[in-house]
Amino acid sequence: MPANKKSTHHSGRVNEDISRELMYILRDVKDPRVSKAFISITRTETTADLKYCKVHYSVLNADRDEVKKGLASAMGFIRRELSVRLSLRNTPELSFILDEGMEHGAKIAQILKNI
């Protein structure tokens, strides 16, 4: 298998693993800004060297700004838990990015329902 195909497969698997584990970790965050919100990880994007990871998430029924502050506050806990759960040489630095796609879809569905 060519090297770039192997790295693409590996980073795809790592993205899936990070996404899955983050869903579990976010349930354990004690910060009420995070624990009381319904947060869904929509996708993750890691760099080829696995040093950085963009985590796209959506929020329902909560203040987006407060959730963002809560995630920033819990970043140390989240990375530590991720390093324990995944056997990676380095745990990537996470950056959380709000994905408004689900919220937009819900608004469109409500509009269509009202028509």
Side-chain angles (χ1 to χ4, degrees):
M1 183 182 301
N4 60 353
K5 224 177 197 186
K6 184 177 182 183
S7 67
T8 302
H9 173 69
H10 182 257
S11 92
R13 186 176 51 82
V14 169
N15 283 329
E16 290 172 9
D17 292 345
I18 289 173
S19 186
R20 182 188 62 246
E21 291 304 326
L22 282 175
M23 289 300 294
Y24 294 120
I25 293 168
L26 290 178
R27 293 179 190 166
D28 296 336
V29 172
K30 300 266 190 269
D31 191 319
R33 297 173 290 192
V34 176
S35 63
K36 295 186 188 259
F38 180 74
I39 302 172
S40 178
I41 304 299
T42 55
R43 75 179 188 270
T44 55
E45 300 173 21
T46 54
T47 56
D49 60 3
L50 302 178
K51 288 191 178 186
Y52 303 96
C53 179
K54 292 180 184 176
V55 180
H56 297 266
Y57 70 97
S58 64
V59 178
L60 293 176
N61 303 330
D63 181 6
R64 292 187 232 153
D65 293 331
E66 288 300 309
V67 170
K68 186 173 185 167
K69 289 176 188 173
L71 288 170
S73 171
M75 185 66 71
F77 170 77
I78 294 169
R79 278 195 74 206
R80 186 172 49 254
E81 283 296 306
L82 198 58
S83 72
V84 168
R85 294 169 184 236
L86 298 178
S87 57
L88 298 173
R89 182 172 294 154
N90 296 314
T91 303
E93 285 188 38
L94 305 173
S95 58
F96 287 93
I97 300 167
L98 182 64
D99 184 354
E100 297 177 354
M102 281 182 59
E103 186 175 307
H104 182 69
K107 285 179 184 177
I108 290 174
Q110 186 62 37
I111 290 170
L112 291 174
K113 185 178 178 182
N114 290 338
I115 290 178

